[in-house]
Amino acid sequence: MRDISAYSIEELKALSEEIREKILTTVSKNGGHLSSTMGAVDLIVAMHTVFDVEKDPFIFDVSHQAYAHKLLTDRWEAFDTLRQFGGLSGYTKPSESVYDYYVAGHSSTSISLAVGAAKAIALKKEARTPVAFIGDGSMSAGMVYEALNELGDRKYPVVIILNDNEMSIAKPIGAISKLLSQTMAGSFYQKFKGKVEKVLDHFPESATYMAKRFEESFKLITPGILFQEMGIEYIGPVDGHDIESLIETMKVAKAFGKPVIIHAQTTKGKGYELAEGTKEHWHGVGAFDLKTGELTKKGGSKSATALFSETLLAMADEDEKVVGVTAAMPSGTGMSAVIEKYPERFWDVAIAEQHAVTSMGPLAKEGFKPFCTIYSTFLQRGYDQVIHDIALMDLGVVFALDRAGIVGEDGETHQGVFDISFLRAIPNMTLFAPYNESSMKACMHFAKAYTHPCAFRYPRGAFIADDCDVPAYELGKSYLLQEGEEILLIGYGNGVGRAKEVAKLLEKQVAILDLRFVKPLDEAVLTALAKKYKQWFVFSDSVKQGGVGSAILEFLNQAEILDVALTSFEYDDAFITHGNTTLVEESLGLLPKQLAKRVHEETAR
């Protein structure tokens, strides 16, 4: 582990530049998060200088900003494998390094984790300080304030570093605020304040009151009043790229022995001019040319997200009742175009999936048609709201679940594999999925007209299957794509394309069913198919437990159809690692040639 505690300021500055260069060259080749993590380098270098990573819990929110931390903790040589199959994760991962305290891929968990760590440290009577690194919009989620509320009450010694890289908390009000904030960050002010508070304890009540009002008048023109009112000391804003100032500030915060927030303002993309500033494109990127900034891999077929975006915009043009919401992912979910054109009807509510879900309920109740557009893995954060605020009321909210299935390099925290299982259990919920461009449009038109809660899922990137004409979606109706002999391949969503690829590799003509709806199932068609086909194979980008195969098996059991052998090629009961999607699928035995071999082996028994 690289010990930098004795480095001079000039050596630390040089180290920061070296780290930025390493991040930039690696991400340009591998893809990954860039602008946020480049902007966080100086803060992380200062953290490692002041705090002891071998004993102090370093807790990174989302942790896509933690690349500098990885480079400082025995992973410099391995960093070239970032986000590659079998290589380093793009997020903190304790199984990868003892210096990664906790897994983090979703936002706004760091302060809750720090509070939990502080409780454990207090119970063990140890001298350790949890350090929570949060920013990049994570402060917009309610969980943060739940944690701050308890922390301000309990007064555990926790240092929170708030990386404000988009002025998302507050903008300093002129030169006076800047001067006061810099003064508040200094050790002289903090020591003076502590002494004054002790002296005031011996003064008459009226004098104490006046002195405290005088201090509070200063706080009103700084961004820290919210945190101060919650019982948490506040320092800042400070320059997040001034290493010398950051080290002094962190030493003051560490010495407090109580909760403190350091509000540091940084520039996204610091050190790479093309990415500097609040440019959403550079948040997460594919491989790119360092000189021009252009992506080196051009997209092929149109992505499912792009198809969703185009169709939703057309619907919004035709019907003013169509509305929608996303949670901090307007570009990623394809909502940017409708938000830009109809800002009064489509909203980005920041990292607040719970609020996003619940807020769409009243719109449906009032006669609008809400599209709640969230990544599959992020809807997990709004599960209670789906049940309590939408399904229980039987409201016609549409959940458009992007990034369903394996998402590749983002790995375990982002794989969209659980939505079928956790949504299928909810009463009043209808689940369906498209498998190509035409079926995407058809399923969206069905969703728009449907008056009950429903969800449809689609993959990151393009569909596997080529486009073709498809019939309109009807509630609970499947569609037989081709007849065959003995074997039935059942595809759901992108699984239809996978089934088609497997069918091409088999020696005999097989039947292929586009299941379309997993809830409700097309029981009549399944019953009829059971009379002709005795070996069924299920293809769906989802987990087995509670998934598509499970739903079909439940039906077969209830219908007492006992002579059908069903094999599901859904994901086993394990979290799926990061890496190139094809390599990940190969490791799971899910490439078409591997699946065709397994079908052959099963049918040969």
Side-chain angles (χ1 to χ4, degrees):
M1 205 279 294
R2 195 164 183 171
D3 182 8
I4 62 173
S5 59
Y7 276 32
S8 69
I9 297 301
E10 292 307 313
E11 287 176 322
L12 292 173
K13 289 179 179 179
L15 176 61
S16 290
E17 293 309 309
E18 188 181 359
I19 289 171
R20 282 196 176 91
E21 184 64 26
K22 182 72 170 178
I23 291 172
L24 192 56
T25 55
T26 302
V27 175
S28 71
K29 294 174 184 176
N30 297 4
H33 291 95
L34 184 71
S35 58
S36 298
T37 200
M38 289 279 282
V41 169
D42 300 310
L43 280 169
I44 292 172
V45 167
M47 275 175 67
H48 275 266
T49 304
V50 175
F51 297 94
D52 185 354
V53 72
E54 294 189 346
K55 68 183 186 69
D56 295 327
F58 279 28
I59 303 169
F60 290 91
D61 211 281
V62 185
S63 78
H64 64 297
Q65 300 181 87
Y67 290 2
H69 165 76
K70 287 177 179 277
L71 288 167
L72 290 169
T73 50
D74 295 337
R75 285 170 277 185
W76 190 279
E77 296 302 323
F79 197 71
D80 291 340
T81 69
L82 182 73
R83 291 165 56 88
Q84 304 299 291
F85 182 69
L88 294 183
S89 169
Y91 302 94
T92 51
K93 191 173 182 180
S95 62
E96 176 183 292
S97 171
V98 295
Y99 302 114
D100 289 358
Y101 186 76
Y102 224 85
V103 169
H106 293 184
S107 86
S108 313
T109 62
S110 62
I111 301 178
S112 293
L113 292 171
V115 172
K119 289 176 178 176
I121 291 167
L123 290 169
K124 294 165 77 173
K125 296 179 172 57
E126 295 177 343
R128 298 159 60 203
T129 304
V131 186
F133 190 102
I134 186 170
D136 203 31
S138 295
M139 293 293 290
S140 62
M143 186 175 176
V144 165
Y145 299 94
E146 294 174 18
L148 287 172
N149 184 55
E150 184 184 15
L151 182 59
D153 177 55
R154 300 284 184 177
K155 305 296 184 186
Y156 293 114
V158 170
V159 175
I160 300 165
I161 298 173
L162 172 55
N163 178 20
D164 178 4
N165 52 25
E166 294 184 87
M167 299 226 177
S168 57
I169 301 302
K171 185 175 181 179
I173 305 171
I176 295 176
S177 177
K178 184 176 181 180
L179 176 63
L180 284 171
S181 295
Q182 289 175 341
T183 303
M184 289 171 68
S187 59
F188 172 80
Y189 172 80
Q190 298 297 339
K191 290 176 182 177
F192 175 75
K193 178 185 172 188
K195 290 180 179 179
V196 168
E197 287 174 346
K198 289 181 180 180
V199 171
L200 286 176
D201 289 339
H202 303 285
F203 270 54
E205 187 174 334
S206 57
T208 303
Y209 172 78
M210 291 302 294
K212 288 185 175 179
R213 287 298 300 270
F214 179 71
E215 181 188 6
E216 287 168 3
S217 68
F218 282 150
K219 293 178 190 173
L220 286 171
I221 53 174
T222 70
I225 188 169
L226 170 64
F227 304 116
Q228 295 277 12
E229 290 300 313
M230 296 183 79
I232 298 169
E233 292 292 337
Y234 170 87
I235 302 176
V238 296
D239 184 348
H241 301 298
D242 184 342
I243 292 180
E244 185 172 11
S245 176
L246 288 172
I247 289 172
E248 176 64 22
T249 301
M250 289 184 192
K251 285 180 178 177
V252 171
K254 183 179 181 180
F256 270 166
K258 56 184 175 181
V260 58
I261 285 181
I262 299 172
H263 179 182
Q265 290 181 328
T266 61
T267 300
K268 273 192 166 186
K270 179 72 173 178
Y272 184 52
E273 189 175 351
L274 291 174
E276 287 186 354
T278 55
K279 301 171 184 176
E280 187 178 356
H281 164 70
W282 288 102
H283 175 76
V285 294
F288 63 94
D289 183 277
L290 274 173
K291 292 183 179 179
T292 65
E294 295 292 323
L295 294 177
T296 55
K297 295 180 181 179
K298 302 297 183 182
S301 303
K302 190 175 291 185
S303 71
T305 303
L307 296 171
F308 170 81
S309 178
E310 292 172 2
T311 308
L312 184 63
L313 183 58
M315 287 178 171
D317 288 340
E318 296 170 0
D319 187 351
E320 63 182 13
K321 294 291 187 181
V322 174
V323 298
V325 71
T326 187
M329 300 300 293
S331 176
T333 59
M335 290 281 282
S336 294
V338 286
I339 290 174
E340 182 177 350
K341 189 170 184 178
Y342 299 111
E344 75 284 0
R345 288 163 49 196
F346 293 87
W347 305 274
D348 176 4
V349 298
I351 303 175
E353 289 84 2
Q354 293 171 301
H355 166 60
V357 172
T358 296
S359 68
M360 291 299 99
L363 281 155
K365 182 178 173 65
E366 294 286 345
F368 292 89
K369 190 63 193 181
F371 280 75
C372 190
T373 310
I374 298 177
Y375 289 3
S376 166
T377 185
F378 292 160
L379 187 62
Q380 295 161 192
R381 300 165 68 93
Y383 187 55
D384 177 59
Q385 287 66 35
V386 174
I387 296 173
H388 184 271
D389 301 323
I390 306 300
L392 190 62
M393 293 279 289
D394 197 19
L395 296 170
V397 175
V398 179
F399 294 94
L401 306 186
D402 202 326
R403 305 310 199 261
I406 293 175
V407 299
E409 288 80 3
D410 281 335
E412 293 95 328
T413 57
H414 282 60
Q415 311 288 20
V417 300
F418 303 112
D419 57 90
I420 294 173
S421 302
F422 70 67
L423 291 174
R424 195 167 70 84
I426 303 174
N428 295 331
M429 182 61 70
T430 294
L431 303 180
F432 50 101
Y435 77 92
N436 64 7
E437 181 172 348
S438 294
S439 63
M440 180 71 158
K441 295 175 181 177
C443 89
M444 287 183 68
H445 282 284
F446 170 83
K448 179 179 178 294
Y450 194 57
T451 58
H452 304 280
C454 65
F456 64 95
R457 70 194 318 256
Y458 45 98
R460 180 180 189 175
F463 287 107
I464 295 173
D466 293 331
D467 196 31
C468 61
D469 292 333
V470 300
Y473 275 58
E474 297 179 51
L475 179 63
K477 298 297 181 183
S478 59
Y479 180 55
L480 191 64
L481 298 177
Q482 70 179 43
E483 294 274 4
E485 304 173 18
E486 301 175 11
I487 299 171
L488 173 65
L489 307 185
I490 301 174
Y492 182 70
N494 209 31
V496 175
R498 201 177 306 278
K500 282 187 165 189
E501 292 295 312
V502 171
K504 294 175 186 177
L505 300 175
L506 297 176
E507 297 175 354
K508 61 180 71 175
Q509 177 83 359
V510 298
I512 302 176
L513 179 71
D514 173 10
L515 189 64
R516 290 196 163 198
F517 289 82
V518 70
K519 185 181 183 183
L521 288 172
D522 190 343
E523 296 183 357
V525 166
L526 290 174
T527 300
L529 290 172
K531 297 176 181 177
K532 183 175 181 181
Y533 304 101
K534 301 303 181 182
Q535 289 185 303
W536 293 7
F537 297 89
V538 173
F539 300 79
S540 174
D541 297 338
S542 52
V543 294
K544 286 180 181 177
Q545 293 178 314
V548 176
S550 177
I552 295 173
L553 283 171
E554 289 165 16
F555 160 70
L556 292 174
N557 180 66
Q558 186 176 7
E560 297 184 349
I561 299 173
L562 307 178
D563 58 346
V564 169
L566 185 144
T567 301
S568 172
F569 293 134
E570 294 168 282
Y571 308 129
D572 289 328
D573 186 25
F575 289 106
I576 300 171
T577 190
H578 68 276
N580 173 272
T581 298
T582 299
L583 294 177
V584 172
E585 289 180 344
E586 182 179 26
S587 73
L588 298 174
L590 295 178
L591 294 182
K593 62 180 180 180
Q594 294 172 309
L595 293 172
K597 181 181 179 182
R598 292 170 67 182
V599 170
H600 178 73
E601 290 172 350
E602 289 291 331
T603 54
R605 290 180 180 178

